[in-house]
């Protein structure tokens, strides 16, 4: 095990090298992609749901 002191030193060296910023940016990018996918899915399912409801109403009226 590295220990607490070794972990802190490793974290400091990674942050100095620029690793901390790139990890945060990557996490934000993945979050934005997930949000975009969610918005597309919600709008697609809403459209399909509306069309499906109209189709079943039409079939119900013919029966």
């Amino acid at each position: 095990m590295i220990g607490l002191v070794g972990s802190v030193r490793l974290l400091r060296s990674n942050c100095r090298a620029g690793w901390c910023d790139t990890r945060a940016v990557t996490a934000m990018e993945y979050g934005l992609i997930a949000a975009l996918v969610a918005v597309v899915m919600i709008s697609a399912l809403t459209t399909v749901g509306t069309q499906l409801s109209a189709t079943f109403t039409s079939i119900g009226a013919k029966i």
Side-chain angles (χ1 to χ4, degrees), residues 53-63:
S53 177
T55 300
F56 282 126
T57 302
S58 173
I59 291 171
K62 291 179 182 178
I63 295 176

Side-chain angles (χ1 to χ4, degrees), residues 42-56:
I42 290 170
S43 62
L45 290 174
T46 301
T47 303
V48 169
T50 304
Q51 292 175 354
L52 190 59
S53 177
T55 300
F56 282 126

Side-chain angles (χ1 to χ4, degrees), residues 14-56:
N14 285 341
C15 285
R16 287 182 192 147
W19 282 81
C20 292
D21 292 337
T22 58
R23 289 181 183 170
V25 170
T26 302
M28 289 173 53
E29 288 172 350
Y30 283 132
L32 289 172
I33 291 169
L36 179 63
V37 168
V39 168
V40 169
M41 286 178 60
I42 290 170
S43 62
L45 290 174
T46 301
T47 303
V48 169
T50 304
Q51 292 175 354
L52 190 59
S53 177
T55 300
F56 282 126

